[in-house]
PDB file of all heavy atoms in Angstrom:
ATOM      1  N   SER A   1       0.830  -1.219   0.007  1.00 77.00           N
ATOM      2  CA  SER A   1      -0.003   0.008   0.001  1.00 77.00           C
ATOM      3  C   SER A   1       0.858   1.265   0.000  1.00 77.00           C
ATOM      4  O   SER A   1       0.588   2.207  -0.748  1.00 77.00           O
ATOM      5  CB  SER A   1      -0.938  -0.012   1.203  1.00 77.00           C
ATOM      6  OG  SER A   1      -0.210  -0.122   2.419  1.00 77.00           O
ATOM      7  N   ASP A   2       1.898   1.312   0.826  1.00 78.00           N
ATOM      8  CA  ASP A   2       2.713   2.517   0.920  1.00 78.00           C
ATOM      9  C   ASP A   2       3.487   2.755  -0.379  1.00 78.00           C
ATOM     10  O   ASP A   2       3.546   3.887  -0.885  1.00 78.00           O
ATOM     11  CB  ASP A   2       3.709   2.419   2.077  1.00 78.00           C
ATOM     12  CG  ASP A   2       3.001   2.446   3.423  1.00 78.00           C
ATOM     13  OD1 ASP A   2       1.775   2.681   3.447  1.00 78.00           O
ATOM     14  OD2 ASP A   2       3.671   2.198   4.438  1.00 78.00           O
ATOM     15  N   ARG A   3       4.089   1.724  -0.908  1.00 79.00           N
ATOM     16  CA  ARG A   3       4.910   1.905  -2.105  1.00 79.00           C
ATOM     17  C   ARG A   3       4.057   2.188  -3.341  1.00 79.00           C
ATOM     18  O   ARG A   3       4.451   2.950  -4.208  1.00 79.00           O
ATOM     19  CB  ARG A   3       5.787   0.683  -2.338  1.00 79.00           C
ATOM     20  CG  ARG A   3       6.884   0.515  -1.281  1.00 79.00           C
ATOM     21  CD  ARG A   3       7.646   1.841  -1.095  1.00 79.00           C
ATOM     22  NE  ARG A   3       8.601   1.800  -0.025  1.00 79.00           N
ATOM     23  CZ  ARG A   3       9.914   1.536  -0.203  1.00 79.00           C
ATOM     24  NH1 ARG A   3      10.350   1.267  -1.411  1.00 79.00           N
ATOM     25  NH2 ARG A   3      10.732   1.549   0.808  1.00 79.00           N
ATOM     26  N   LEU A   4       2.874   1.585  -3.410  1.00 78.00           N
ATOM     27  CA  LEU A   4       2.030   1.805  -4.573  1.00 78.00           C
ATOM     28  C   LEU A   4       1.540   3.254  -4.610  1.00 78.00           C
ATOM     29  O   LEU A   4       1.491   3.878  -5.670  1.00 78.00           O
ATOM     30  CB  LEU A   4       0.828   0.855  -4.545  1.00 78.00           C
ATOM     31  CG  LEU A   4      -0.148   0.989  -5.733  1.00 78.00           C
ATOM     32  CD1 LEU A   4       0.554   0.668  -7.044  1.00 78.00           C
ATOM     33  CD2 LEU A   4      -1.330   0.068  -5.528  1.00 78.00           C
ATOM     34  N   LEU A   5       1.170   3.799  -3.461  1.00 73.00           N
ATOM     35  CA  LEU A   5       0.586   5.135  -3.435  1.00 73.00           C
ATOM     36  C   LEU A   5       1.595   6.227  -3.079  1.00 73.00           C
ATOM     37  O   LEU A   5       1.219   7.383  -2.930  1.00 73.00           O
ATOM     38  CB  LEU A   5      -0.570   5.166  -2.427  1.00 73.00           C
ATOM     39  CG  LEU A   5      -1.742   4.246  -2.750  1.00 73.00           C
ATOM     40  CD1 LEU A   5      -2.836   4.388  -1.702  1.00 73.00           C
ATOM     41  CD2 LEU A   5      -2.291   4.515  -4.131  1.00 73.00           C
ATOM     42  N   SER A   6       2.867   5.885  -2.965  1.00 74.00           N
ATOM     43  CA  SER A   6       3.855   6.922  -2.696  1.00 74.00           C
ATOM     44  C   SER A   6       3.958   7.858  -3.892  1.00 74.00           C
ATOM     45  O   SER A   6       3.702   7.475  -5.025  1.00 74.00           O
ATOM     46  CB  SER A   6       5.235   6.272  -2.420  1.00 74.00           C
ATOM     47  OG  SER A   6       5.672   5.536  -3.543  1.00 74.00           O
ATOM     48  N   PRO A   7       4.300   9.143  -3.644  1.00 70.00           N
ATOM     49  CA  PRO A   7       4.323  10.119  -4.754  1.00 70.00           C
ATOM     50  C   PRO A   7       5.325   9.745  -5.843  1.00 70.00           C
ATOM     51  O   PRO A   7       6.391   9.161  -5.576  1.00 70.00           O
ATOM     52  CB  PRO A   7       4.748  11.410  -4.040  1.00 70.00           C
ATOM     53  CG  PRO A   7       4.396  11.215  -2.600  1.00 70.00           C
ATOM     54  CD  PRO A   7       4.612   9.739  -2.355  1.00 70.00           C
ATOM     55  N   GLY A   8       4.968  10.120  -7.073  1.00 72.00           N
ATOM     56  CA  GLY A   8       5.872   9.939  -8.207  1.00 72.00           C
ATOM     57  C   GLY A   8       5.848   8.546  -8.816  1.00 72.00           C
ATOM     58  O   GLY A   8       5.284   7.605  -8.244  1.00 72.00           O
ATOM     59  N   GLN A   9       6.415   8.442  -9.998  1.00 74.00           N
ATOM     60  CA  GLN A   9       6.611   7.190 -10.728  1.00 74.00           C
ATOM     61  C   GLN A   9       5.283   6.467 -10.975  1.00 74.00           C
ATOM     62  O   GLN A   9       5.241   5.223 -11.007  1.00 74.00           O
ATOM     63  CB  GLN A   9       7.571   6.277  -9.963  1.00 74.00           C
ATOM     64  CG  GLN A   9       8.928   6.902  -9.735  1.00 74.00           C
ATOM     65  CD  GLN A   9       9.772   6.129  -8.736  1.00 74.00           C
ATOM     66  OE1 GLN A   9       9.326   5.877  -7.612  1.00 74.00           O
ATOM     67  NE2 GLN A   9      10.968   5.762  -9.134  1.00 74.00           N
ATOM     68  N   GLY A  10       4.220   7.236 -11.180  1.00 73.00           N
ATOM     69  CA  GLY A  10       2.899   6.625 -11.367  1.00 73.00           C
ATOM     70  C   GLY A  10       2.841   5.731 -12.585  1.00 73.00           C
ATOM     71  O   GLY A  10       2.302   4.612 -12.515  1.00 73.00           O
ATOM     72  N   ARG A  11       3.389   6.207 -13.712  1.00 75.00           N
ATOM     73  CA  ARG A  11       3.342   5.387 -14.924  1.00 75.00           C
ATOM     74  C   ARG A  11       4.111   4.083 -14.723  1.00 75.00           C
ATOM     75  O   ARG A  11       3.646   3.007 -15.121  1.00 75.00           O
ATOM     76  CB  ARG A  11       3.924   6.161 -16.113  1.00 75.00           C
ATOM     77  CG  ARG A  11       3.984   5.360 -17.419  1.00 75.00           C
ATOM     78  CD  ARG A  11       4.470   6.237 -18.560  1.00 75.00           C
ATOM     79  NE  ARG A  11       5.802   6.698 -18.329  1.00 75.00           N
ATOM     80  CZ  ARG A  11       6.922   6.050 -18.676  1.00 75.00           C
ATOM     81  NH1 ARG A  11       6.816   4.853 -19.249  1.00 75.00           N
ATOM     82  NH2 ARG A  11       8.130   6.557 -18.469  1.00 75.00           N
ATOM     83  N   GLU A  12       5.290   4.158 -14.121  1.00 83.00           N
ATOM     84  CA  GLU A  12       6.102   2.946 -13.918  1.00 83.00           C
ATOM     85  C   GLU A  12       5.394   1.954 -13.015  1.00 83.00           C
ATOM     86  O   GLU A  12       5.449   0.730 -13.241  1.00 83.00           O
ATOM     87  CB  GLU A  12       7.462   3.321 -13.339  1.00 83.00           C
ATOM     88  CG  GLU A  12       8.372   4.093 -14.275  1.00 83.00           C
ATOM     89  CD  GLU A  12       8.117   5.597 -14.233  1.00 83.00           C
ATOM     90  OE1 GLU A  12       7.096   6.004 -13.623  1.00 83.00           O
ATOM     91  OE2 GLU A  12       8.926   6.355 -14.805  1.00 83.00           O
ATOM     92  N   LYS A  13       4.706   2.433 -11.977  1.00 84.00           N
ATOM     93  CA  LYS A  13       3.977   1.529 -11.072  1.00 84.00           C
ATOM     94  C   LYS A  13       2.811   0.854 -11.791  1.00 84.00           C
ATOM     95  O   LYS A  13       2.567  -0.349 -11.617  1.00 84.00           O
ATOM     96  CB  LYS A  13       3.493   2.306  -9.859  1.00 84.00           C
ATOM     97  CG  LYS A  13       4.597   2.844  -8.981  1.00 84.00           C
ATOM     98  CD  LYS A  13       4.024   3.748  -7.892  1.00 84.00           C
ATOM     99  CE  LYS A  13       5.115   4.444  -7.119  1.00 84.00           C
ATOM    100  NZ  LYS A  13       4.555   5.423  -6.150  1.00 84.00           N
ATOM    101  N   ILE A  14       2.085   1.634 -12.574  1.00 83.00           N
ATOM    102  CA  ILE A  14       0.975   1.051 -13.329  1.00 83.00           C
ATOM    103  C   ILE A  14       1.485  -0.007 -14.301  1.00 83.00           C
ATOM    104  O   ILE A  14       0.893  -1.098 -14.410  1.00 83.00           O
ATOM    105  CB  ILE A  14       0.217   2.173 -14.092  1.00 83.00           C
ATOM    106  CG1 ILE A  14      -0.485   3.087 -13.091  1.00 83.00           C
ATOM    107  CG2 ILE A  14      -0.782   1.569 -15.068  1.00 83.00           C
ATOM    108  CD1 ILE A  14      -1.054   4.346 -13.708  1.00 83.00           C
ATOM    109  N   GLU A  15       2.570   0.286 -14.991  1.00 87.00           N
ATOM    110  CA  GLU A  15       3.138  -0.698 -15.925  1.00 87.00           C
ATOM    111  C   GLU A  15       3.637  -1.929 -15.192  1.00 87.00           C
ATOM    112  O   GLU A  15       3.511  -3.061 -15.682  1.00 87.00           O
ATOM    113  CB  GLU A  15       4.259  -0.053 -16.740  1.00 87.00           C
ATOM    114  CG  GLU A  15       3.771   1.002 -17.728  1.00 87.00           C
ATOM    115  CD  GLU A  15       4.915   1.683 -18.446  1.00 87.00           C
ATOM    116  OE1 GLU A  15       6.095   1.495 -18.019  1.00 87.00           O
ATOM    117  OE2 GLU A  15       4.657   2.410 -19.425  1.00 87.00           O
ATOM    118  N   SER A  16       4.198  -1.743 -13.992  1.00 91.00           N
ATOM    119  CA  SER A  16       4.673  -2.888 -13.210  1.00 91.00           C
ATOM    120  C   SER A  16       3.526  -3.818 -12.846  1.00 91.00           C
ATOM    121  O   SER A  16       3.621  -5.047 -13.009  1.00 91.00           O
ATOM    122  CB  SER A  16       5.365  -2.389 -11.935  1.00 91.00           C
ATOM    123  OG  SER A  16       5.680  -3.459 -11.081  1.00 91.00           O
ATOM    124  N   LEU A  17       2.413  -3.251 -12.362  1.00 91.00           N
ATOM    125  CA  LEU A  17       1.259  -4.088 -12.014  1.00 91.00           C
ATOM    126  C   LEU A  17       0.648  -4.734 -13.245  1.00 91.00           C
ATOM    127  O   LEU A  17       0.189  -5.886 -13.186  1.00 91.00           O
ATOM    128  CB  LEU A  17       0.214  -3.241 -11.286  1.00 91.00           C
ATOM    129  CG  LEU A  17       0.602  -2.767  -9.873  1.00 91.00           C
ATOM    130  CD1 LEU A  17      -0.518  -1.950  -9.282  1.00 91.00           C
ATOM    131  CD2 LEU A  17       0.940  -3.958  -8.965  1.00 91.00           C
ATOM    132  N   ARG A  18       0.625  -4.036 -14.348  1.00 91.00           N
ATOM    133  CA  ARG A  18       0.112  -4.625 -15.596  1.00 91.00           C
ATOM    134  C   ARG A  18       0.956  -5.819 -15.994  1.00 91.00           C
ATOM    135  O   ARG A  18       0.403  -6.886 -16.336  1.00 91.00           O
ATOM    136  CB  ARG A  18       0.128  -3.573 -16.714  1.00 91.00           C
ATOM    137  CG  ARG A  18      -0.352  -4.100 -18.065  1.00 91.00           C
ATOM    138  CD  ARG A  18       0.212  -3.231 -19.175  1.00 91.00           C
ATOM    139  NE  ARG A  18       1.669  -3.256 -19.190  1.00 91.00           N
ATOM    140  CZ  ARG A  18       2.442  -2.413 -19.869  1.00 91.00           C
ATOM    141  NH1 ARG A  18       1.889  -1.434 -20.554  1.00 91.00           N
ATOM    142  NH2 ARG A  18       3.756  -2.515 -19.862  1.00 91.00           N
ATOM    143  N   ASP A  19       2.283  -5.680 -15.954  1.00 94.00           N
ATOM    144  CA  ASP A  19       3.165  -6.791 -16.297  1.00 94.00           C
ATOM    145  C   ASP A  19       3.016  -7.925 -15.304  1.00 94.00           C
ATOM    146  O   ASP A  19       3.040  -9.110 -15.688  1.00 94.00           O
ATOM    147  CB  ASP A  19       4.614  -6.320 -16.367  1.00 94.00           C
ATOM    148  CG  ASP A  19       4.869  -5.364 -17.529  1.00 94.00           C
ATOM    149  OD1 ASP A  19       4.022  -5.316 -18.466  1.00 94.00           O
ATOM    150  OD2 ASP A  19       5.874  -4.651 -17.490  1.00 94.00           O
ATOM    151  N   SER A  20       2.861  -7.625 -14.028  1.00 95.00           N
ATOM    152  CA  SER A  20       2.662  -8.664 -13.036  1.00 95.00           C
ATOM    153  C   SER A  20       1.365  -9.412 -13.278  1.00 95.00           C
ATOM    154  O   SER A  20       1.297 -10.632 -13.088  1.00 95.00           O
ATOM    155  CB  SER A  20       2.669  -8.048 -11.627  1.00 95.00           C
ATOM    156  OG  SER A  20       3.939  -7.545 -11.278  1.00 95.00           O
ATOM    157  N   ALA A  21       0.326  -8.690 -13.688  1.00 95.00           N
ATOM    158  CA  ALA A  21      -0.947  -9.341 -13.997  1.00 95.00           C
ATOM    159  C   ALA A  21      -0.809 -10.295 -15.185  1.00 95.00           C
ATOM    160  O   ALA A  21      -1.403 -11.372 -15.210  1.00 95.00           O
ATOM    161  CB  ALA A  21      -2.019  -8.295 -14.281  1.00 95.00           C
ATOM    162  N   ARG A  22      -0.020  -9.925 -16.176  1.00 95.00           N
ATOM    163  CA  ARG A  22       0.176 -10.797 -17.338  1.00 95.00           C
ATOM    164  C   ARG A  22       0.839 -12.105 -16.923  1.00 95.00           C
ATOM    165  O   ARG A  22       0.573 -13.165 -17.514  1.00 95.00           O
ATOM    166  CB  ARG A  22       1.042 -10.072 -18.378  1.00 95.00           C
ATOM    167  CG  ARG A  22       0.309  -8.925 -19.084  1.00 95.00           C
ATOM    168  CD  ARG A  22       1.261  -8.151 -19.981  1.00 95.00           C
ATOM    169  NE  ARG A  22       0.573  -7.111 -20.726  1.00 95.00           N
ATOM    170  CZ  ARG A  22       1.170  -6.177 -21.442  1.00 95.00           C
ATOM    171  NH1 ARG A  22       2.501  -6.158 -21.508  1.00 95.00           N
ATOM    172  NH2 ARG A  22       0.469  -5.275 -22.086  1.00 95.00           N
ATOM    173  N   GLY A  23       1.722 -12.045 -15.927  1.00 97.00           N
ATOM    174  CA  GLY A  23       2.361 -13.258 -15.434  1.00 97.00           C
ATOM    175  C   GLY A  23       1.601 -13.924 -14.315  1.00 97.00           C
ATOM    176  O   GLY A  23       2.101 -14.855 -13.708  1.00 97.00           O
ATOM    177  N   ARG A  24       0.378 -13.408 -14.019  1.00 97.00           N
ATOM    178  CA  ARG A  24      -0.503 -13.936 -12.969  1.00 97.00           C
ATOM    179  C   ARG A  24       0.125 -13.850 -11.574  1.00 97.00           C
ATOM    180  O   ARG A  24      -0.054 -14.692 -10.704  1.00 97.00           O
ATOM    181  CB  ARG A  24      -0.950 -15.361 -13.286  1.00 97.00           C
ATOM    182  CG  ARG A  24      -1.936 -15.411 -14.467  1.00 97.00           C
ATOM    183  CD  ARG A  24      -2.200 -16.829 -14.931  1.00 97.00           C
ATOM    184  NE  ARG A  24      -2.789 -17.658 -13.918  1.00 97.00           N
ATOM    185  CZ  ARG A  24      -4.117 -17.780 -13.690  1.00 97.00           C
ATOM    186  NH1 ARG A  24      -4.976 -17.093 -14.394  1.00 97.00           N
ATOM    187  NH2 ARG A  24      -4.559 -18.614 -12.761  1.00 97.00           N
TER     188      ARG A  24
END
């Protein structure tokens, strides 16, 4: 929760979760 909502790097975090979802 803290790292996901910490300020900055929003695009990189979204892309990270998207890639993690692709790998289940």
Side-chain angles (χ1 to χ4, degrees):
S1 57
D2 293 352
R3 292 310 175 95
L4 181 62
L5 297 181
S6 61
Q9 301 168 306
R11 177 176 62 88
E12 292 86 350
K13 294 172 188 175
I14 292 170
E15 291 176 349
S16 172
L17 291 180
R18 178 203 62 194
D19 292 342
S20 292
R22 289 173 176 171
R24 289 171 62 88

